[in-house]
Amino acid sequence: MTVIREDDLIQSIADAFQFISYYHPVDFVQALGEAWAREESAAAKDAIAQILTNSRMCAEGHRPICQDTGIAVVFLKIGMDVRWQATRSVQEMVDEGVRRAYTCPENKLRASVLRDPAGKRVNSRDNTPAVVHYEIVPGDKLEVICAAKGGGSENKTKVAMLNPSDDIVDWVLKTVPTMGAGWCPPGILGIGIGGTPEKAVLLAKESLMAPLDIHLLRDKAARGETLARAEELRLELMEKVNALGIGAQGLGGLSTVLDVKVLDYPTHAASKPVAMIPNCAATRHVHFHLDGSGPATLVPPRPDDWPKVAWKPDTQSATRVDLDTLTREEVAAWKPGQSLLLNGKILTGRDAAHKRIQDMLARGETLPVDFSGRVIYYVGPVDPVRDEAVGPAGPTTATRMDKFTRMMLEQTGLIAMIGKSERGPAAIEAIRDNRSAYLMAVGGAAYLVSKAIKAAKVVAFADLGMEAIYEFTVEDMPVTVAVDATGVSVHQTGPKEWQARIGKIPVVVA
Protein backbone atom coordinates (compact mmCIF):
# COMPACT_ATOMS: atom_id res chain seq x y z
CA MET A 1 0.00 0.00 0.00
CA THR A 2 1.38 3.42 -0.98
CA VAL A 3 1.81 5.94 1.82
CA ILE A 4 1.66 9.61 0.78
CA ARG A 5 3.35 11.82 3.33
CA GLU A 6 1.98 15.24 4.18
CA ASP A 7 5.28 17.04 3.56
CA ASP A 8 5.72 15.38 0.15
CA LEU A 9 2.38 16.64 -1.15
CA ILE A 10 2.90 20.11 0.29
CA GLN A 11 6.39 20.42 -1.18
CA SER A 12 5.25 19.08 -4.56
CA ILE A 13 2.37 21.58 -4.76
CA ALA A 14 4.70 24.45 -3.77
CA ASP A 15 7.31 23.41 -6.34
CA ALA A 16 4.65 22.99 -9.02
CA PHE A 17 3.19 26.48 -8.70
CA GLN A 18 6.63 28.05 -8.69
CA PHE A 19 7.56 25.95 -11.74
CA ILE A 20 4.52 26.95 -13.80
CA SER A 21 4.88 30.60 -12.87
CA TYR A 22 7.97 30.86 -15.11
CA TYR A 23 7.88 27.81 -17.42
CA HIS A 24 5.36 27.54 -20.22
CA PRO A 25 4.52 23.96 -21.24
CA VAL A 26 6.91 23.07 -24.06
CA ASP A 27 4.10 22.05 -26.42
CA PHE A 28 2.52 25.49 -25.99
CA VAL A 29 5.79 27.32 -26.74
CA GLN A 30 6.36 25.25 -29.85
CA ALA A 31 2.79 25.75 -31.10
CA LEU A 32 3.13 29.48 -30.49
CA GLY A 33 6.42 29.49 -32.41
CA GLU A 34 4.71 27.82 -35.36
CA ALA A 35 1.92 30.41 -35.22
CA TRP A 36 4.51 33.21 -35.26
CA ALA A 37 6.26 31.68 -38.28
CA ARG A 38 3.09 31.52 -40.39
CA GLU A 39 1.49 34.78 -39.21
CA GLU A 40 0.98 37.37 -41.97
CA SER A 41 -0.49 40.20 -39.87
CA ALA A 42 2.35 42.52 -38.82
CA ALA A 43 0.57 43.58 -35.62
CA ALA A 44 -0.23 40.01 -34.60
CA LYS A 45 3.27 38.77 -35.46
CA ASP A 46 4.79 41.52 -33.31
CA ALA A 47 2.50 40.60 -30.40
CA ILE A 48 3.40 36.89 -30.63
CA ALA A 49 7.09 37.84 -30.77
CA GLN A 50 6.69 39.78 -27.53
CA ILE A 51 4.96 36.80 -25.86
CA LEU A 52 7.67 34.36 -27.00
CA THR A 53 10.48 36.69 -25.93
CA ASN A 54 8.78 37.16 -22.57
CA SER A 55 8.45 33.38 -22.19
CA ARG A 56 12.16 32.80 -22.66
CA MET A 57 13.08 35.70 -20.34
CA CYS A 58 10.86 34.27 -17.60
CA ALA A 59 12.37 30.80 -17.97
CA GLU A 60 15.85 32.24 -17.69
CA GLY A 61 15.08 34.70 -14.89
CA HIS A 62 12.64 32.51 -12.93
CA ARG A 63 10.04 35.28 -12.79
CA PRO A 64 6.32 35.10 -13.59
CA ILE A 65 5.13 34.89 -17.20
CA CYS A 66 2.19 37.13 -16.34
CA GLN A 67 1.55 39.60 -13.54
CA ASP A 68 -1.71 37.73 -12.94
CA THR A 69 -0.19 34.61 -11.41
CA GLY A 70 -3.63 33.08 -11.28
CA ILE A 71 -6.00 31.33 -8.97
CA ALA A 72 -4.63 27.93 -7.97
CA VAL A 73 -6.58 25.04 -9.49
CA VAL A 74 -5.63 21.47 -8.54
CA PHE A 75 -6.96 18.21 -9.97
CA LEU A 76 -6.35 15.14 -7.81
CA LYS A 77 -6.90 11.52 -8.84
CA ILE A 78 -6.47 9.58 -5.64
CA GLY A 79 -5.89 5.82 -5.81
CA MET A 80 -8.24 3.75 -3.68
CA ASP A 81 -5.26 1.98 -2.12
CA VAL A 82 -3.44 5.17 -1.09
CA ARG A 83 -2.95 5.75 2.62
CA TRP A 84 -2.17 9.18 4.02
CA GLN A 85 0.46 9.95 6.61
CA ALA A 86 -0.88 13.38 7.48
CA THR A 87 -2.56 15.43 10.19
CA ARG A 88 -4.11 17.96 7.78
CA SER A 89 -6.94 17.49 5.33
CA VAL A 90 -6.09 17.26 1.62
CA GLN A 91 -7.47 20.76 1.09
CA GLU A 92 -5.27 22.05 3.91
CA MET A 93 -2.19 20.34 2.48
CA VAL A 94 -2.83 21.80 -0.97
CA ASP A 95 -3.41 25.24 0.52
CA GLU A 96 -0.16 25.08 2.45
CA GLY A 97 1.69 24.24 -0.76
CA VAL A 98 0.04 27.15 -2.55
CA ARG A 99 0.85 29.46 0.37
CA ARG A 100 4.55 28.54 0.23
CA ALA A 101 4.68 28.97 -3.53
CA TYR A 102 3.03 32.39 -3.63
CA THR A 103 5.02 33.84 -0.72
CA CYS A 104 8.41 32.50 -1.85
CA PRO A 105 10.88 35.39 -1.34
CA GLU A 106 13.05 34.40 -4.32
CA ASN A 107 10.12 34.61 -6.75
CA LYS A 108 7.16 36.44 -5.27
CA LEU A 109 3.86 35.66 -6.94
CA ARG A 110 0.90 38.00 -6.96
CA ALA A 111 -1.81 37.21 -4.42
CA SER A 112 -5.10 37.75 -6.25
CA VAL A 113 -7.58 35.65 -4.27
CA LEU A 114 -10.21 37.61 -2.33
CA ARG A 115 -12.28 36.26 0.54
CA ASP A 116 -15.93 37.31 1.03
CA PRO A 117 -16.42 37.66 -2.74
CA ALA A 118 -19.89 39.19 -2.52
CA GLY A 119 -19.00 41.52 0.32
CA LYS A 120 -15.76 43.15 1.50
CA ARG A 121 -13.57 41.23 -1.00
CA VAL A 122 -10.52 41.10 1.26
CA ASN A 123 -7.28 39.75 -0.22
CA SER A 124 -6.14 36.55 1.49
CA ARG A 125 -2.53 37.72 0.89
CA ASP A 126 -1.25 34.22 0.09
CA ASN A 127 -3.55 33.21 -2.81
CA THR A 128 -5.36 30.57 -0.75
CA PRO A 129 -7.64 28.75 -0.78
CA ALA A 130 -7.04 26.71 -3.91
CA VAL A 131 -9.87 25.28 -6.01
CA VAL A 132 -9.47 21.50 -5.69
CA HIS A 133 -11.21 18.81 -7.75
CA TYR A 134 -11.14 15.22 -6.51
CA GLU A 135 -11.61 11.88 -8.21
CA ILE A 136 -11.21 8.51 -6.48
CA VAL A 137 -9.73 5.95 -8.89
CA PRO A 138 -8.36 2.40 -8.76
CA GLY A 139 -4.68 2.00 -7.85
CA ASP A 140 -2.12 3.06 -5.29
CA LYS A 141 -0.82 6.34 -6.78
CA LEU A 142 -1.74 10.00 -6.51
CA GLU A 143 -2.03 11.87 -9.81
CA VAL A 144 -1.84 15.67 -9.58
CA ILE A 145 -2.38 18.49 -12.06
CA CYS A 146 -1.64 22.04 -10.93
CA ALA A 147 -2.85 24.98 -13.01
CA ALA A 148 -2.73 28.73 -12.48
CA LYS A 149 -5.71 30.36 -14.20
CA GLY A 150 -5.67 34.11 -14.68
CA GLY A 151 -8.77 36.25 -14.34
CA GLY A 152 -8.62 37.55 -17.91
CA SER A 153 -9.26 34.10 -19.35
CA GLU A 154 -11.48 32.78 -16.56
CA ASN A 155 -13.80 35.77 -16.95
CA LYS A 156 -14.50 34.77 -20.55
CA THR A 157 -16.02 31.42 -19.56
CA LYS A 158 -19.30 30.78 -21.37
CA VAL A 159 -22.03 28.30 -20.46
CA ALA A 160 -25.22 27.55 -22.38
CA MET A 161 -28.08 25.09 -22.11
CA LEU A 162 -28.65 24.36 -25.77
CA ASN A 163 -31.64 22.52 -27.18
CA PRO A 164 -30.78 18.97 -28.26
CA SER A 165 -31.15 20.00 -31.92
CA ASP A 166 -28.91 23.10 -31.62
CA ASP A 167 -25.55 23.04 -33.37
CA ILE A 168 -22.50 23.35 -31.10
CA VAL A 169 -20.28 24.75 -33.87
CA ASP A 170 -22.78 27.54 -34.54
CA TRP A 171 -22.87 28.38 -30.82
CA VAL A 172 -19.07 28.50 -30.58
CA LEU A 173 -18.71 30.70 -33.68
CA LYS A 174 -21.35 33.12 -32.38
CA THR A 175 -19.88 33.13 -28.86
CA VAL A 176 -16.12 33.47 -29.42
CA PRO A 177 -16.38 37.00 -30.93
CA THR A 178 -18.35 38.12 -27.86
CA MET A 179 -15.41 37.12 -25.64
CA GLY A 180 -13.27 39.96 -26.97
CA ALA A 181 -9.50 39.75 -26.53
CA GLY A 182 -9.33 39.85 -22.74
CA TRP A 183 -8.36 36.17 -22.74
CA CYS A 184 -5.13 37.08 -24.59
CA PRO A 185 -5.28 34.98 -27.74
CA PRO A 186 -3.70 33.00 -29.26
CA GLY A 187 -4.53 30.31 -26.75
CA ILE A 188 -6.58 27.15 -26.37
CA LEU A 189 -10.33 26.64 -26.16
CA GLY A 190 -11.61 23.98 -23.78
CA ILE A 191 -15.14 22.77 -24.49
CA GLY A 192 -17.23 20.56 -22.23
CA ILE A 193 -20.40 18.95 -23.52
CA GLY A 194 -23.09 17.09 -21.60
CA GLY A 195 -23.75 16.02 -18.07
CA THR A 196 -25.30 18.87 -16.12
CA PRO A 197 -24.28 22.55 -16.30
CA GLU A 198 -21.62 22.24 -13.60
CA LYS A 199 -20.29 19.03 -15.14
CA ALA A 200 -19.93 20.70 -18.55
CA VAL A 201 -17.88 23.51 -17.00
CA LEU A 202 -15.63 21.06 -15.17
CA LEU A 203 -15.12 19.07 -18.40
CA ALA A 204 -14.14 22.26 -20.21
CA LYS A 205 -11.62 23.16 -17.53
CA GLU A 206 -10.19 19.65 -17.35
CA SER A 207 -9.82 19.45 -21.14
CA LEU A 208 -7.36 22.35 -21.03
CA MET A 209 -4.92 20.24 -19.03
CA ALA A 210 -4.24 17.88 -21.96
CA PRO A 211 -1.23 18.26 -24.30
CA LEU A 212 -1.59 20.25 -27.52
CA ASP A 213 -2.05 17.58 -30.16
CA ILE A 214 -4.26 19.07 -32.89
CA HIS A 215 -1.42 18.38 -35.36
CA LEU A 216 -1.75 14.66 -34.67
CA LEU A 217 -5.45 14.80 -35.52
CA ARG A 218 -4.64 16.59 -38.77
CA ASP A 219 -2.16 13.85 -39.64
CA LYS A 220 -4.69 11.18 -38.72
CA ALA A 221 -7.32 12.77 -40.95
CA ALA A 222 -4.80 13.14 -43.80
CA ARG A 223 -4.10 9.40 -43.62
CA GLY A 224 -7.80 8.73 -44.04
CA GLU A 225 -8.20 7.17 -40.60
CA THR A 226 -11.58 7.24 -38.90
CA LEU A 227 -11.98 10.07 -36.39
CA ALA A 228 -14.17 10.04 -33.32
CA ARG A 229 -16.95 12.64 -33.30
CA ALA A 230 -15.12 14.72 -30.67
CA GLU A 231 -12.00 14.66 -32.87
CA GLU A 232 -13.97 15.78 -35.92
CA LEU A 233 -15.46 18.58 -33.82
CA ARG A 234 -12.01 19.72 -32.70
CA LEU A 235 -10.71 19.96 -36.27
CA GLU A 236 -13.80 21.76 -37.50
CA LEU A 237 -13.71 24.28 -34.68
CA MET A 238 -9.97 24.84 -35.04
CA GLU A 239 -10.38 25.83 -38.68
CA LYS A 240 -13.53 27.89 -38.24
CA VAL A 241 -12.50 29.78 -35.09
CA ASN A 242 -9.21 30.79 -36.74
CA ALA A 243 -11.19 31.86 -39.81
CA LEU A 244 -12.90 34.48 -37.63
CA GLY A 245 -9.67 36.48 -38.02
CA ILE A 246 -9.56 37.64 -34.38
CA GLY A 247 -5.84 36.95 -34.19
CA ALA A 248 -3.21 37.59 -31.52
CA GLN A 249 -4.42 40.06 -28.89
CA GLY A 250 -7.56 40.60 -30.99
CA LEU A 251 -5.63 42.68 -33.51
CA GLY A 252 -6.59 40.54 -36.51
CA GLY A 253 -4.57 37.67 -37.91
CA LEU A 254 -4.36 34.00 -38.80
CA SER A 255 -4.00 32.41 -35.34
CA THR A 256 -6.67 32.88 -32.71
CA VAL A 257 -6.43 29.38 -31.24
CA LEU A 258 -3.52 26.94 -31.13
CA ASP A 259 -5.73 23.98 -30.24
CA VAL A 260 -9.34 23.16 -29.36
CA LYS A 261 -10.07 20.58 -26.68
CA VAL A 262 -13.35 18.68 -26.25
CA LEU A 263 -14.55 16.40 -23.45
CA ASP A 264 -18.10 15.06 -23.23
CA TYR A 265 -20.32 13.15 -20.82
CA PRO A 266 -23.77 11.55 -21.10
CA THR A 267 -26.61 13.98 -20.52
CA HIS A 268 -30.39 14.17 -20.08
CA ALA A 269 -32.52 13.56 -23.18
CA ALA A 270 -33.94 17.08 -22.95
CA SER A 271 -30.59 18.81 -22.49
CA LYS A 272 -27.36 19.76 -24.22
CA PRO A 273 -25.19 21.65 -21.70
CA VAL A 274 -22.13 23.26 -23.29
CA ALA A 275 -19.30 25.18 -21.62
CA MET A 276 -16.30 26.92 -23.13
CA ILE A 277 -13.23 28.13 -21.24
CA PRO A 278 -10.13 29.63 -22.88
CA ASN A 279 -6.53 29.19 -21.83
CA CYS A 280 -4.60 32.36 -22.54
CA ALA A 281 -1.09 33.31 -23.66
CA ALA A 282 -0.05 32.57 -20.07
CA THR A 283 -1.11 28.91 -20.27
CA ARG A 284 0.30 27.34 -17.09
CA HIS A 285 -0.12 23.76 -15.88
CA VAL A 286 2.01 20.77 -14.87
CA HIS A 287 1.20 17.10 -14.35
CA PHE A 288 2.94 14.72 -11.91
CA HIS A 289 2.48 11.56 -9.83
CA LEU A 290 3.32 10.73 -6.23
CA ASP A 291 4.05 7.10 -5.34
CA GLY A 292 5.27 7.44 -1.76
CA SER A 293 8.95 7.78 -2.67
CA GLY A 294 9.14 11.53 -2.01
CA PRO A 295 8.20 14.88 -3.57
CA ALA A 296 7.67 15.16 -7.33
CA THR A 297 10.60 15.85 -9.63
CA LEU A 298 9.73 18.49 -12.24
CA VAL A 299 11.93 18.58 -15.33
CA PRO A 300 12.48 22.08 -16.78
CA PRO A 301 12.41 22.74 -20.53
CA ARG A 302 15.66 23.02 -22.49
CA PRO A 303 16.78 26.38 -23.96
CA ASP A 304 16.47 24.85 -27.44
CA ASP A 305 12.75 24.31 -26.88
CA TRP A 306 12.11 28.00 -27.58
CA PRO A 307 12.04 29.27 -31.16
CA LYS A 308 14.75 31.78 -32.01
CA VAL A 309 12.54 34.85 -31.69
CA ALA A 310 13.96 37.93 -29.98
CA TRP A 311 11.69 40.97 -29.85
CA LYS A 312 13.21 44.45 -29.42
CA PRO A 313 11.61 47.91 -29.54
CA ASP A 314 11.41 49.20 -33.10
CA THR A 315 13.08 52.56 -32.59
CA GLN A 316 13.04 53.26 -36.33
CA SER A 317 9.30 53.14 -37.04
CA ALA A 318 7.76 53.62 -33.57
CA THR A 319 7.08 57.13 -32.26
CA ARG A 320 8.79 58.10 -29.02
CA VAL A 321 6.46 59.92 -26.63
CA ASP A 322 7.52 62.14 -23.72
CA LEU A 323 4.80 61.57 -21.14
CA ASP A 324 6.02 64.39 -18.92
CA THR A 325 5.26 67.02 -21.58
CA LEU A 326 2.38 65.23 -23.35
CA THR A 327 -0.45 67.48 -24.52
CA ARG A 328 -4.05 66.82 -25.53
CA GLU A 329 -3.16 67.96 -29.04
CA GLU A 330 -0.47 65.27 -29.32
CA VAL A 331 -2.87 62.61 -28.07
CA ALA A 332 -5.52 63.70 -30.59
CA ALA A 333 -2.98 63.36 -33.42
CA TRP A 334 -2.22 59.67 -32.79
CA LYS A 335 -3.49 57.26 -35.46
CA PRO A 336 -5.09 53.81 -35.05
CA GLY A 337 -2.46 51.07 -35.05
CA GLN A 338 0.41 53.53 -34.52
CA SER A 339 3.31 52.09 -32.49
CA LEU A 340 4.49 54.25 -29.59
CA LEU A 341 7.40 54.02 -27.16
CA LEU A 342 6.45 55.73 -23.91
CA ASN A 343 8.99 57.62 -21.81
CA GLY A 344 8.45 59.43 -18.53
CA LYS A 345 5.95 59.01 -15.71
CA ILE A 346 2.61 57.21 -15.77
CA LEU A 347 0.12 56.44 -13.03
CA THR A 348 -1.48 53.05 -12.47
CA GLY A 349 -4.95 52.06 -11.34
CA ARG A 350 -7.48 49.30 -11.88
CA ASP A 351 -10.84 48.09 -10.54
CA ALA A 352 -10.62 48.87 -6.83
CA ALA A 353 -8.80 52.18 -7.33
CA HIS A 354 -11.34 53.37 -9.90
CA LYS A 355 -14.23 52.49 -7.59
CA ARG A 356 -12.61 54.39 -4.71
CA ILE A 357 -11.97 57.41 -6.95
CA GLN A 358 -15.62 57.34 -8.02
CA ASP A 359 -16.80 57.23 -4.41
CA MET A 360 -14.48 60.08 -3.38
CA LEU A 361 -15.63 62.31 -6.23
CA ALA A 362 -19.27 61.59 -5.37
CA ARG A 363 -18.60 62.78 -1.82
CA GLY A 364 -16.81 65.91 -3.05
CA GLU A 365 -13.47 64.82 -1.61
CA THR A 366 -10.08 65.78 -3.02
CA LEU A 367 -8.26 62.93 -4.75
CA PRO A 368 -4.84 61.96 -3.35
CA VAL A 369 -3.35 62.05 -6.86
CA ASP A 370 -3.62 64.71 -9.57
CA PHE A 371 -4.52 63.03 -12.87
CA SER A 372 -4.48 66.24 -14.93
CA GLY A 373 -2.61 65.70 -18.18
CA ARG A 374 -1.60 62.20 -17.08
CA VAL A 375 -1.79 58.71 -18.57
CA ILE A 376 -3.07 55.77 -16.51
CA TYR A 377 -1.95 52.15 -16.87
CA TYR A 378 -4.39 49.41 -15.90
CA VAL A 379 -2.07 47.04 -14.03
CA GLY A 380 -1.65 45.13 -10.78
CA PRO A 381 2.08 44.33 -10.66
CA VAL A 382 3.95 41.52 -8.96
CA ASP A 383 6.13 42.63 -6.04
CA PRO A 384 9.80 43.21 -6.99
CA VAL A 385 12.69 40.98 -5.97
CA ARG A 386 16.43 41.63 -5.95
CA ASP A 387 17.23 44.80 -7.94
CA GLU A 388 13.88 45.06 -9.79
CA ALA A 389 12.01 48.36 -9.80
CA VAL A 390 8.82 46.34 -10.06
CA GLY A 391 7.93 42.72 -10.76
CA PRO A 392 6.17 41.54 -13.93
CA ALA A 393 3.66 44.24 -14.81
CA GLY A 394 1.59 43.43 -17.86
CA PRO A 395 -1.76 45.07 -18.61
CA THR A 396 -5.11 43.93 -17.25
CA THR A 397 -8.34 43.73 -19.25
CA ALA A 398 -9.39 47.29 -20.04
CA THR A 399 -13.12 46.66 -20.49
CA ARG A 400 -13.52 46.30 -16.71
CA MET A 401 -12.71 50.01 -16.48
CA ASP A 402 -15.18 51.03 -19.22
CA LYS A 403 -17.84 52.21 -16.79
CA PHE A 404 -15.33 54.57 -15.16
CA THR A 405 -13.84 55.98 -18.37
CA ARG A 406 -16.06 59.03 -18.85
CA MET A 407 -15.69 59.95 -15.18
CA MET A 408 -11.91 59.73 -15.36
CA LEU A 409 -11.65 61.74 -18.58
CA GLU A 410 -14.12 64.45 -17.60
CA GLN A 411 -13.66 64.78 -13.84
CA THR A 412 -9.97 64.09 -13.21
CA GLY A 413 -8.17 65.56 -16.23
CA LEU A 414 -6.83 62.19 -17.44
CA ILE A 415 -5.86 62.29 -21.14
CA ALA A 416 -5.08 58.66 -22.12
CA MET A 417 -5.24 55.08 -20.86
CA ILE A 418 -3.21 51.86 -21.31
CA GLY A 419 -4.54 48.33 -20.95
CA LYS A 420 -5.08 45.10 -22.84
CA SER A 421 -7.84 44.01 -25.23
CA GLU A 422 -10.66 46.05 -26.70
CA ARG A 423 -12.84 48.82 -25.28
CA GLY A 424 -16.65 48.69 -25.27
CA PRO A 425 -19.05 51.17 -26.87
CA ALA A 426 -19.44 53.38 -23.77
CA ALA A 427 -15.68 53.78 -23.34
CA ILE A 428 -15.12 54.44 -27.05
CA GLU A 429 -17.83 57.10 -27.00
CA ALA A 430 -16.19 58.78 -23.99
CA ILE A 431 -12.78 58.64 -25.69
CA ARG A 432 -14.20 60.21 -28.84
CA ASP A 433 -16.11 62.91 -26.95
CA ASN A 434 -12.98 63.91 -25.04
CA ARG A 435 -10.49 63.56 -27.91
CA SER A 436 -8.57 61.06 -25.80
CA ALA A 437 -6.91 57.75 -26.73
CA TYR A 438 -6.61 54.19 -25.52
CA LEU A 439 -3.26 52.43 -25.87
CA MET A 440 -2.82 48.67 -25.86
CA ALA A 441 0.09 46.80 -24.29
CA VAL A 442 0.54 43.09 -25.02
CA GLY A 443 -1.07 40.75 -22.52
CA GLY A 444 1.17 37.78 -21.76
CA ALA A 445 4.40 39.80 -21.93
CA ALA A 446 4.48 41.02 -18.33
CA TYR A 447 8.16 40.45 -17.56
CA LEU A 448 9.20 42.02 -20.85
CA VAL A 449 7.05 45.08 -20.10
CA SER A 450 8.49 45.36 -16.59
CA LYS A 451 11.98 45.83 -18.04
CA ALA A 452 10.78 49.18 -19.43
CA ILE A 453 9.80 50.32 -15.90
CA LYS A 454 12.85 51.97 -14.32
CA ALA A 455 11.27 53.20 -11.07
CA ALA A 456 8.05 52.56 -9.17
CA LYS A 457 6.46 53.94 -6.03
CA VAL A 458 3.04 53.71 -4.41
CA VAL A 459 1.41 57.15 -4.39
CA ALA A 460 -2.11 56.34 -3.13
CA PHE A 461 -4.37 53.61 -1.74
CA ALA A 462 -1.52 51.47 -0.39
CA ASP A 463 -4.03 49.33 1.50
CA LEU A 464 -5.24 47.92 -1.84
CA GLY A 465 -2.02 45.94 -2.30
CA MET A 466 -1.39 45.19 -5.95
CA GLU A 467 -4.40 47.41 -6.80
CA ALA A 468 -2.80 50.50 -5.23
CA ILE A 469 -2.01 53.53 -7.40
CA TYR A 470 1.65 53.52 -8.40
CA GLU A 471 3.74 56.02 -10.30
CA PHE A 472 6.00 54.29 -12.83
CA THR A 473 8.93 55.87 -14.62
CA VAL A 474 9.13 54.13 -17.99
CA GLU A 475 11.67 54.02 -20.79
CA ASP A 476 10.58 52.95 -24.29
CA MET A 477 7.51 51.07 -23.06
CA PRO A 478 5.89 49.58 -26.20
CA VAL A 479 2.19 50.25 -26.85
CA THR A 480 -0.15 50.47 -29.82
CA VAL A 481 -2.85 53.09 -30.39
CA ALA A 482 -5.94 50.88 -30.09
CA VAL A 483 -8.62 53.60 -30.01
CA ASP A 484 -7.83 57.02 -31.40
CA ALA A 485 -9.43 60.39 -30.69
CA THR A 486 -12.05 59.83 -33.41
CA GLY A 487 -13.19 56.55 -31.85
CA VAL A 488 -11.65 54.17 -34.41
CA SER A 489 -10.79 50.86 -32.72
CA VAL A 490 -8.21 48.48 -34.16
CA HIS A 491 -9.96 45.66 -32.30
CA GLN A 492 -12.93 46.24 -34.60
CA THR A 493 -11.13 47.00 -37.86
CA GLY A 494 -8.38 44.36 -37.56
CA PRO A 495 -10.50 41.20 -37.15
CA LYS A 496 -12.93 42.33 -39.87
CA GLU A 497 -10.04 42.84 -42.28
CA TRP A 498 -8.49 39.45 -41.55
CA GLN A 499 -11.80 37.59 -41.56
CA ALA A 500 -12.35 38.98 -45.06
CA ARG A 501 -8.80 38.06 -46.11
CA ILE A 502 -9.15 34.50 -44.85
CA GLY A 503 -12.50 34.38 -46.63
CA LYS A 504 -14.01 31.26 -45.06
CA ILE A 505 -16.69 32.96 -42.96
CA PRO A 506 -18.88 35.83 -44.22
CA VAL A 507 -18.11 39.14 -42.54
CA VAL A 508 -21.12 40.40 -40.60
CA VAL A 509 -21.64 44.13 -41.13
CA ALA A 510 -23.13 45.79 -38.06
Side-chain angles (χ1 to χ4, degrees):
M1 180 179 288
T2 297
V3 177
I4 304 295
R5 293 182 290 273
E6 178 176 304
D7 288 346
D8 290 347
L9 178 58
I10 291 172
Q11 189 61 53
S12 298
I13 294 290
D15 291 346
F17 278 101
Q18 275 286 307
F19 185 91
I20 64 177
S21 76
Y22 44 75
Y23 287 136
H24 268 130
V26 171
D27 56 358
F28 180 83
V29 170
Q30 293 174 343
L32 195 59
E34 292 168 6
W36 174 84
R38 66 175 175 267
E39 185 56 70
E40 297 173 13
S41 162
K45 196 175 185 79
D46 182 80
I48 296 173
Q50 288 193 45
I51 294 167
L52 283 168
T53 302
N54 180 78
S55 177
R56 178 185 279 276
M57 289 172 60
C58 294
E60 293 171 347
H62 283 197
R63 292 295 274 142
I65 293 165
C66 182
Q67 78 290 338
D68 184 347
T69 51
I71 186 169
V73 180
V74 179
F75 291 87
L76 298 175
K77 290 187 178 181
I78 304 171
M80 291 178 178
D81 295 327
V82 163
R83 187 168 66 84
W84 295 94
Q85 188 178 91
T87 58
R88 309 186 215 206
S89 70
V90 174
Q91 177 76 51
E92 289 170 337
M93 287 186 278
V94 169
D95 285 347
E96 179 59 26
V98 170
R99 183 176 295 110
R100 292 183 189 180
Y102 278 76
T103 59
C104 175
E106 289 79 27
N107 179 39
K108 295 181 181 179
L109 307 182
R110 197 183 82 182
S112 302
V113 170
L114 306 181
R115 299 180 185 274
D116 190 15
K120 294 182 179 180
R121 295 178 65 83
V122 178
N123 197 303
S124 70
R125 300 293 181 180
D126 57 13
N127 226 52
T128 65
V131 176
V132 185
H133 302 289
Y134 304 87
E135 186 177 351
I136 308 300
V137 299
D140 62 354
K141 304 292 189 298
L142 174 64
E143 182 179 341
V144 184
I145 298 175
C146 293
K149 285 293 268 109
S153 59
E154 287 292 87
N155 289 347
K156 301 303 180 180
T157 297
K158 303 294 180 183
V159 187
M161 296 300 292
L162 301 184
N163 292 319
S165 61
D166 290 343
D167 187 86
I168 291 171
V169 173
D170 287 347
W171 177 77
V172 171
L173 295 181
K174 289 176 184 175
T175 304
V176 169
T178 70
M179 291 161 53
W183 60 282
C184 288
I188 304 131
L189 290 182
I191 296 174
I193 305 167
T196 51
E198 78 279 8
K199 180 65 174 180
V201 175
L202 183 57
L203 290 168
K205 178 65 67 63
E206 191 172 4
S207 76
L208 293 169
M209 305 300 116
L212 277 69
D213 62 357
I214 198 77
H215 60 290
L216 299 180
L217 287 189
R218 288 198 185 104
D219 293 345
K220 186 177 177 181
R223 291 191 300 268
E225 297 181 25
T226 301
L227 300 178
R229 174 56 190 148
E231 294 175 328
E232 293 176 343
L233 184 59
R234 288 178 61 194
L235 286 175
E236 183 179 2
L237 286 172
M238 179 78 173
E239 179 182 10
K240 291 183 175 179
V241 170
N242 280 332
L244 292 170
I246 294 167
Q249 302 290 302
L251 296 170
L254 299 178
S255 294
T256 301
V257 289
L258 305 175
D259 203 338
V260 177
K261 297 296 185 182
V262 175
L263 286 177
D264 61 18
Y265 194 84
T267 192
H268 191 283
S271 303
K272 189 188 279 188
V274 183
M276 179 164 57
I277 304 176
N279 241 356
C280 62
T283 287
R284 295 163 295 198
H285 56 83
V286 68
H287 188 153
F288 60 88
H289 293 78
L290 296 181
D291 60 6
S293 61
T297 299
L298 305 175
V299 181
R302 298 172 296 109
D304 290 345
D305 289 327
W306 276 267
K308 291 179 171 50
V309 177
W311 181 91
K312 292 182 179 179
D314 186 352
T315 56
Q316 299 301 311
S317 61
T319 302
R320 275 202 168 100
V321 174
D322 185 346
L323 295 164
D324 299 332
T325 61
L326 185 63
T327 65
R328 291 184 178 276
E329 290 71 26
E330 288 177 81
V331 171
W334 291 338
K335 302 299 181 186
Q338 184 177 353
S339 296
L340 308 178
L341 295 174
L342 304 182
N343 293 270
K345 291 180 170 56
I346 56 176
L347 295 170
T348 77
R350 41 177 286 164
D351 310 67
H354 279 76
K355 180 63 169 65
R356 189 171 291 185
I357 289 168
Q358 182 184 59
D359 292 344
M360 291 182 71
L361 290 173
R363 293 192 297 265
E365 297 174 4
T366 301
L367 298 180
V369 178
D370 184 3
F371 288 93
S372 298
R374 305 296 295 273
V375 175
I376 194 169
Y377 181 27
Y378 303 145
V379 63
V382 175
D383 288 343
V385 297
R386 299 182 287 277
D387 60 348
E388 294 176 343
V390 70
T396 198
T397 307
T399 48
R400 298 203 313 275
M401 269 52 74
D402 281 5
K403 63 183 178 181
F404 302 110
T405 300
R406 186 172 292 277
M407 172 197 73
M408 293 297 292
L409 293 176
E410 296 180 358
Q411 296 186 49
T412 73
L414 190 74
I415 60 174
M417 301 147 284
I418 309 165
K420 77 170 183 183
S421 74
E422 73 286 346
R423 303 308 298 265
I428 291 174
E429 182 181 36
I431 290 167
R432 183 178 62 244
D433 290 349
N434 290 276
R435 303 286 290 167
S436 179
Y438 165 62
L439 312 175
M440 189 210 80
V442 171
Y447 195 41
L448 176 65
V449 171
S450 73
K451 296 304 181 184
I453 302 169
K454 304 305 179 183
K457 62 179 180 180
V458 174
V459 292
F461 306 156
D463 62 297
L464 295 181
M466 62 92 176
E467 294 204 65
I469 296 178
Y470 289 75
E471 184 178 72
F472 288 167
T473 301
V474 299
E475 185 177 301
D476 283 348
M477 177 180 171
V479 296
T480 299
V481 180
V483 181
D484 76 343
T486 69
V488 174
S489 168
V490 298
H491 287 99
Q492 295 173 359
T493 59
K496 284 182 180 178
E497 175 190 345
W498 281 92
Q499 186 174 331
R501 285 196 190 191
I502 296 167
K504 293 182 179 179
I505 296 178
V507 177
V508 178
V509 179

